[in-house]
Amino acid sequence: GMKKISEGYEVYRRKLYESLNRNPSMPFIMCMMNNRRISRMRFSKLSLLIEEFAREKERYGFRDGDRIFLLTSSIADAHITFEILSANHITVVSADPGIPAPELLRMLEDTEVAAIFTDRKCLRLIDSYKKVPIFQLYGLKSNFALLREASEASESHEPTPESIAIIFSSGTTARMK
């Protein structure tokens, strides 16, 4: 179980680094912003952010296979954060910020996450959940930072990367399907 999954993470990480190192100046992601400007991140920057998180991972107590809850309205920031966390053996549980706050809180309980990664815009939706620390996610305009530490005792969670939750919601009504 765990050994096979860990080997899968290593294959993913190795292939990602090969691609990043082969084309460091190539844009990893480009996004049209509201002001009609195009923001971009190059592979070389993504590689630096992956390494930065690798250094911070132990400091904040993350372990291989931990689940992180990702909540943002920015597709680009979600993609960037997903790549950084996945390259560091972290499982990402992503949710649509259009889901009502009570449903999001139930999802947090059900998925037993080690932390939440969000932006300041979505923080209000899950700010009442005090069991895990909340971090600002990586993005085109933001960088990883601790927004709030956990203030309530949480049951110890064991990383279980072999479990997965996929939650579908409508893009217009945010109703779960």
Side-chain angles (χ1 to χ4, degrees), residues 46-59:
L46 179 64
S47 185
L48 290 173
L49 293 175
I50 290 169
E51 290 303 319
E52 175 187 298
F53 183 79
R55 290 189 298 274
E56 296 292 322
K57 181 179 169 182
E58 189 174 317
R59 175 179 168 208

Side-chain angles (χ1 to χ4, degrees), residues 13-66:
R13 184 180 176 105
R14 188 179 69 251
K15 291 194 179 287
L16 178 63
Y17 272 108
E18 287 171 8
S19 176
L20 296 176
N21 292 329
R22 206 174 20 249
N23 306 296
S25 63
M26 184 178 198
F28 161 67
I29 195 164
M30 297 176 76
C31 183
M32 176 75 80
M33 307 306 272
N34 287 346
N35 60 6
R36 304 225 188 280
R37 294 189 62 192
I38 295 177
S39 290
R40 71 189 92 227
M41 179 180 288
R42 299 196 183 285
F43 279 158
S44 57
K45 174 70 173 174
L46 179 64
S47 185
L48 290 173
L49 293 175
I50 290 169
E51 290 303 319
E52 175 187 298
F53 183 79
R55 290 189 298 274
E56 296 292 322
K57 181 179 169 182
E58 189 174 317
R59 175 179 168 208
Y60 287 109
F62 294 119
R63 301 172 293 177
D64 288 358
D66 271 350

Side-chain angles (χ1 to χ4, degrees), residues 29 39 58 66-67 147 155 158 160:
I29 195 164
S39 290
E58 189 174 317
D66 271 350
R67 286 180 301 280
L147 295 176
E155 292 181 23
E158 284 298 315
T160 54

Side-chain angles (χ1 to χ4, degrees), residues 5 19 34 42 52 55 64 68 71-72 100 103 111 117 120 130 135 141 159 164 167:
I5 289 167
S19 176
N34 287 346
R42 299 196 183 285
E52 175 187 298
R55 290 189 298 274
D64 288 358
I68 301 296
L71 183 67
T72 181
E103 290 291 322
T111 54
F117 277 55
R120 294 188 185 274
K130 309 287 188 197
F135 294 90
K141 303 287 184 193
I164 186 167
I167 297 161

Side-chain angles (χ1 to χ4, degrees), residues 36-166:
R36 304 225 188 280
R37 294 189 62 192
I38 295 177
S39 290
R40 71 189 92 227
M41 179 180 288
R42 299 196 183 285
F43 279 158
S44 57
K45 174 70 173 174
L46 179 64
S47 185
L48 290 173
L49 293 175
I50 290 169
E51 290 303 319
E52 175 187 298
F53 183 79
R55 290 189 298 274
E56 296 292 322
K57 181 179 169 182
E58 189 174 317
R59 175 179 168 208
Y60 287 109
F62 294 119
R63 301 172 293 177
D64 288 358
D66 271 350
R67 286 180 301 280
I68 301 296
F69 195 79
L70 177 61
L71 183 67
T72 181
S73 54
S74 167
I75 294 170
D77 292 355
H79 188 66
I80 292 165
T81 302
F82 173 83
E83 291 295 336
I84 292 166
L85 295 176
S86 295
N88 280 284
H89 305 192
I90 302 293
T91 302
V92 177
V93 178
S94 187
D96 182 332
I99 296 172
E103 290 291 322
L104 289 171
L105 296 174
R106 277 197 294 282
M107 288 169 61
L108 284 166
E109 286 293 329
D110 292 345
T111 54
E112 299 177 2
V113 296
I116 299 167
F117 277 55
T118 191
D119 52 34
R120 294 188 185 274
K121 184 176 177 182
C122 293
L123 179 60
R124 65 179 169 69
L125 296 171
I126 41 83
D127 195 41
S128 65
Y129 194 76
K130 309 287 188 197
K131 293 183 179 181
V132 297
I134 298 177
F135 294 90
Q136 179 168 296
L137 50 74
Y138 287 94
L140 292 170
K141 303 287 184 193
S142 62
N143 245 349
F144 174 72
L146 179 65
L147 295 176
R148 192 200 70 219
E149 292 190 29
S151 60
E152 291 180 6
S154 175
E155 292 181 23
S156 176
H157 64 280
E158 284 298 315
T160 54
E162 65 277 351
S163 65
I164 186 167
I166 300 174

